Amino acid sequence: MINVLLVAGTVPRQETVLVEALERFRKQGVQVRLVCDFDLSRLTFDPAPAQVRGLRETEPDDRLRRSLGGEPSRAVWVRAWHDEVVRRWVREADVLVSMDMVAVYAVWEMAQRQLDADACHGLGPAARAVQARLAGAPRPRRGLRAAVAIRAGIVARATRRDAQGKVRRAMRIGMAPAVMRSGAGAWFWRTAVAVPALPDRVRTGVAYRVHQRAIEADRPQQAAAASAAASARLEDVASRANLLTREATWELAIGRVPVALHAAVATELAVADGWLRKKNTARATQSTHRALKLLFHRVAHFEQPCSPLAERPAEFLAPLRDSAVGRALATPRGRATPAEPPPTDRALRLLVLTDGEARRSRTIRGRYDDRPDVEVQYVDLGDETDAGAVRTDPAAQVGHLLAGSSEYGNRMREWLQPRLEWADVLLADGTEPAAAVTLFDPGTTRIVVRTHPADLLRPWAHLVDYSRVDELVVAAEAVRELATAVLPQLGTETAPTLSVVGDALDLPAHARPKEPQSRFTLGLLGVNAVDTRWAVEVLRQLRAGDTRYRLVLIGTELTPEPGMVVRRYHEELLAELVELERSGAVARVERVPDEFPEALSGVGVILSSPIRETFRHAHVEGAAGGAVPVLRGSSLAGSVHGVRALVPTEWVADTPQQAADRIRELTASEESWRANGAEVAAYARATWDWRSGGQRLAEVLRIPLRHPVH
């Protein structure tokens, strides 16, 4: 009987083809055995025609686990050869078959040990090999010399792997946390990675491991020193960039701001500059995009108490500003003709371009949609077109700016230009849509960009051609100061007018009566792992003395953010929320925009807890409805650009304890709670209602003032 051994490293994609092959082999009298390196429960067909062996059914021992080395192909082979049943099947096999690329190495190693078997890849060659066996085709015999060479190769590979394993074990011992924390250990590894004449491949591999172990041992300065010593020995700037970028990417993945972030970005941009000098914009784009991903990673700016970009703009952005590609991205391209004045013989045409944040344009929809002297169109960057959804792409944007033209830019022009030709004024709500619309000359359409604090911490702000923008709008003087520090283009001759226009909201709809029990209900709009944890801690502080307090989370289901630390934070938060929901201390409400005022009507205290944003519509709308606001003392760059620059100081609490103390004071009695609610409602309506700020926004957008704002 002919024995066929199939090895699958992954779940077969075309299971029907496999089932047909198994049935065909069975009819031919062939015995088929199937080795699977995955959970057998993932097979959706009955493999009855074959004997099946799963390599994941038992946990490998420590020695085997260490030998795998993170290489999937090698892991299949190691697991298979440590399985006694599989070894017997290999010795009995006439045809060895790899079902996928992951299994190829395992079958090759098996063929070195079963010299009389045919080894092939795929079911087609396997069927032909079986047919040849059934037909009695003569088998080529290997000579003694070939057999000895094969056996010698097996011994050599085993010896080499054993030596490599011993080296890895020695390195693990030498890089133990206690060793990495010692002065001698730090000196040894810093010296080891800088040894002269060490091959670059070996040097970068060892330096990367040293960097990891030093970070894990909480020795970031030691990690930085070892990286600097190793990179100084690498003559090729691309090799230095690969090492530093790999290290920085690993640190960001575990939720840390890289110790050598500045060096990694500068080196990657140096590589980009080299490609740009050679006029290879494709390669320059790749390196520039890698640098921007490091420079503006959310871990550095949205998962830390304060963003390094907001604290030290000039220092943080120096690598980008000093590079040739950075200067190319910031080069003003201008427009052929200035924007035309608003029409006098027809309705003004206003185009609102957003990045998916429907709430930002909700007030405009409510105010202008029914006016006969204004026509409004709303376009989202994710809208479906005949060619599919048009998506922004930072890498493609960089490529267009460096090359001067691109297929991506042409597609964006084809999509947006007809809309621009229709519009008299375009409002780009955020820097992402602004970057898209300034890829090409906007013609005579007036371009207004409204930027938000968080926009300044993202790469899109540096991909906008501000020479094609007529007016840039920010919500407060503090944001204006930060914008001018982050974007030097705003101080040039081609810069747009920079205006401070406070948010104008439709607040009367939120003025609804509150039931007495609302006094003990805290509301939080916009939930995510980092921010919600602060609100939960405030709730715990309150319930320690009075269990009547409860928290209502208004927003979509919590989803984990990227990054190991935030994912762990998210899991811990979900466990807390499940416990609090059981006791009735927490309730979740899926927010629907039209029902938002109704959802807030039962809230007596409105919380705002983001560590980065300084202003949210939710706390203003809640305050307008009589809910007492308690805001987390978030900041963009210390207290100067923090939330205190936008709202009354007494609304702000820096710690959960301060927030709890303020809430207890404000809700001490129903009378004090209602009196404070009435006071903040009056302040909110006087400061942020459309009657107060709407006229200024209308002026910026050139909205006709024949009909007064009301």
Side-chain angles (χ1 to χ4, degrees):
M1 178 181 289
I2 297 174
N3 285 301
V4 174
L5 179 59
L6 307 176
V7 183
T10 59
V11 179
R13 293 184 178 180
Q14 298 179 317
E15 291 185 346
T16 56
V17 176
L18 176 57
V19 171
E20 291 173 0
L22 294 178
E23 183 61 26
R24 185 167 56 252
F25 285 145
R26 184 188 66 78
K27 290 179 179 179
Q28 292 173 327
V30 174
Q31 177 172 279
V32 180
R33 291 159 169 170
L34 176 61
V35 176
C36 301
D37 190 41
F38 50 83
D39 188 346
L40 294 181
S41 65
R42 298 177 64 189
L43 287 175
T44 59
F45 64 94
D46 181 10
Q51 299 179 45
V52 181
R53 181 73 173 175
L55 300 179
R56 301 295 182 99
E57 293 180 350
T58 57
E59 185 70 19
D61 59 33
D62 290 340
R63 181 171 60 86
L64 175 57
R65 190 182 297 107
R66 288 195 301 270
S67 71
L68 299 183
E71 303 173 17
S73 298
R74 174 167 159 69
V76 176
W77 159 243
V78 173
R79 274 192 285 266
W81 199 242
H82 278 75
D83 188 301
E84 183 179 351
V85 173
V86 176
R87 286 202 304 273
R88 176 169 56 82
W89 286 0
V90 170
R91 288 192 294 269
E92 297 173 355
D94 297 300
V95 179
L96 298 164
V97 185
S98 58
M99 299 291 293
D100 48 63
M101 294 306 297
V102 178
V104 169
Y105 178 74
V107 169
W108 182 81
E109 286 282 9
M110 291 174 181
Q112 304 301 297
R113 288 156 176 80
Q114 173 58 330
L115 300 179
D116 291 333
D118 292 301
C120 50
H121 176 64
L123 290 172
R128 290 191 290 272
V130 168
Q131 193 61 40
R133 292 263 180 173
L134 291 172
R139 299 282 304 141
R141 304 290 298 179
R142 292 187 176 93
L144 178 62
R145 179 177 297 179
V148 170
I150 290 171
R151 295 298 178 187
I154 293 173
V155 172
R157 289 196 301 278
T159 303
R160 184 167 62 250
R161 284 196 296 267
D162 185 59
Q164 291 172 345
K166 289 178 180 178
V167 171
R168 285 196 293 267
R169 286 193 290 275
M171 288 184 66
R172 278 197 297 271
I173 295 171
M175 292 181 186
V179 176
M180 301 304 289
R181 293 189 189 104
S182 68
W187 173 85
F188 172 79
W189 286 114
R190 188 170 62 251
T191 304
V193 298
V195 170
L198 196 66
D200 283 358
R201 183 179 61 82
V202 176
R203 189 187 308 279
T204 54
V206 174
Y208 178 66
R209 294 299 179 191
V210 170
H211 182 91
Q212 284 184 310
R213 299 298 175 260
I215 293 294
E216 290 169 348
D218 198 25
R219 291 294 186 269
Q221 296 309 315
Q222 178 181 324
S227 295
S231 61
R233 286 286 185 181
L234 298 172
E235 295 183 3
D236 181 20
V237 66
S239 298
R240 293 199 297 273
N242 288 337
L243 172 62
L244 295 172
T245 298
R246 185 184 178 197
E247 292 172 346
T249 301
W250 176 79
E251 285 188 78
L252 290 167
I254 63 171
R256 295 181 61 107
V257 179
V259 294
L261 178 61
H262 189 281
V265 171
T267 309
E268 196 68 72
L269 289 173
V271 173
D273 286 351
W275 288 118
L276 192 63
R277 283 193 296 271
K278 296 176 182 178
K279 301 189 183 306
N280 190 331
T281 54
R283 290 289 187 88
T285 296
Q286 292 174 359
S287 291
T288 304
H289 185 229
R290 280 195 292 267
L292 293 179
K293 285 171 65 178
L294 294 178
L295 198 62
F296 297 101
H297 198 282
R298 63 169 294 111
V299 166
H301 306 296
F302 295 94
E303 296 176 12
Q304 310 298 323
C306 195
S307 161
L309 167 57
E311 284 186 316
R312 308 177 305 276
E315 176 186 340
F316 189 82
L317 294 172
L320 181 62
R321 294 176 181 175
D322 294 343
S323 67
V325 290
R327 291 191 294 272
L329 295 179
T331 299
R333 291 157 181 83
R335 52 199 298 175
T337 57
E340 291 183 350
T344 58
D345 56 346
R346 58 170 173 81
L348 178 86
R349 295 169 180 168
L350 173 64
L351 176 65
V352 180
L353 183 63
T354 65
D355 56 1
E357 288 288 344
R359 276 180 55 78
R360 290 180 177 175
S361 61
R362 193 177 66 188
T363 305
I364 292 177
R365 288 177 185 267
R367 285 291 166 178
Y368 296 138
D369 282 357
D370 296 330
R371 283 185 52 166
D373 53 351
V374 181
E375 293 182 49
V376 189
Q377 287 188 11
Y378 302 91
V379 176
D380 190 278
L381 288 173
D383 281 348
E384 291 289 330
T385 68
D386 293 339
V390 177
R391 305 289 184 189
T392 51
D393 182 340
Q397 183 99 16
V398 169
H400 179 90
L401 294 176
L402 295 182
S405 64
S406 68
E407 181 182 347
Y408 169 78
N410 292 336
R411 282 195 297 111
M412 195 64 75
R413 181 200 300 270
E414 290 173 4
W415 184 57
L416 282 175
Q417 193 160 29
R419 294 167 170 81
L420 279 171
E421 290 173 354
W422 171 87
D424 300 307
V425 179
L426 177 139
L427 171 62
D429 210 349
T431 52
E432 185 175 347
V437 81
T438 58
L439 272 173
F440 51 90
D441 191 330
T444 59
T445 303
R446 174 176 168 77
I447 306 297
V448 177
V449 175
R450 183 159 60 177
T451 186
H452 307 274
D455 288 335
L456 299 172
L457 308 179
R458 296 189 174 108
W460 293 109
H462 300 269
L463 301 179
V464 177
D465 187 343
Y466 293 96
S467 67
R468 290 172 171 170
V469 176
D470 295 288
E471 191 153 0
L472 182 67
V473 176
V474 296
E477 189 62 39
V479 183
R480 175 191 179 120
E481 293 174 11
L482 182 62
T484 54
V486 169
L487 301 168
Q489 304 97 300
L490 299 182
T492 64
E493 292 182 356
T494 59
T497 302
L498 184 54
S499 303
V500 177
V501 180
D503 284 346
L505 308 177
D506 190 6
L507 299 181
H510 295 272
R512 303 192 180 190
K514 294 187 181 295
E515 298 295 329
Q517 61 266 28
S518 301
R519 167 182 157 203
F520 299 99
T521 302
L522 317 179
L524 178 69
L525 171 72
V527 293
N528 66 54
V530 176
D531 301 341
T532 306
R533 197 75 180 272
W534 187 87
V536 169
E537 181 57 32
V538 173
L539 177 68
R540 288 193 182 279
Q541 298 266 359
L542 290 167
R543 286 179 64 86
D546 190 337
T547 57
R548 290 179 293 178
Y549 288 101
R550 59 193 291 269
L551 174 64
V552 177
L553 300 175
I554 307 171
T556 54
E557 186 67 23
L558 280 162
T559 54
E561 299 285 355
M564 185 186 304
V565 171
V566 179
R567 281 198 299 270
R568 189 181 306 122
Y569 199 79
H570 171 264
E571 291 166 2
E572 294 171 356
L573 171 62
L574 283 182
E576 281 189 272
L577 290 179
V578 169
E579 171 199 339
L580 291 167
E581 283 181 295
R582 286 177 185 152
S583 65
V586 167
R588 297 194 224 180
V589 176
E590 183 82 13
R591 178 177 63 83
V592 179
D594 292 340
E595 300 173 355
F596 184 52
E598 181 64 29
L600 282 182
S601 66
V603 171
V605 177
I606 187 74
L607 299 179
S608 184
S609 63
I611 62 172
R612 186 63 61 242
E613 286 187 64
T614 56
F615 190 87
R616 274 189 171 176
H617 291 178
H619 63 247
V620 172
E621 291 167 333
V628 178
V630 177
L631 281 54
R632 186 179 188 176
S634 61
S635 68
L636 285 172
S639 59
V640 174
H641 295 109
V643 69
R644 286 181 174 84
L646 301 173
V647 302
T649 302
E650 60 270 20
W651 289 16
V652 183
D654 291 318
T655 66
Q657 181 63 58
Q658 289 180 12
D661 290 343
R662 171 168 166 76
I663 292 169
R664 288 192 196 96
E665 177 186 350
L666 296 171
T667 61
S669 67
E670 185 173 345
E671 292 74 18
S672 66
W673 166 63
R674 289 193 182 277
N676 280 289
E679 182 181 337
V680 298
Y683 181 88
R685 288 194 292 268
T687 308
W688 294 292
D689 184 61
W690 188 268
R691 295 177 179 86
S692 306
Q695 183 164 336
R696 180 69 186 100
L697 180 61
E699 291 173 357
V700 170
L701 297 178
R702 301 296 192 260
I703 302 295
L705 298 179
R706 294 192 296 271
H707 300 279
V709 176
H710 57 82

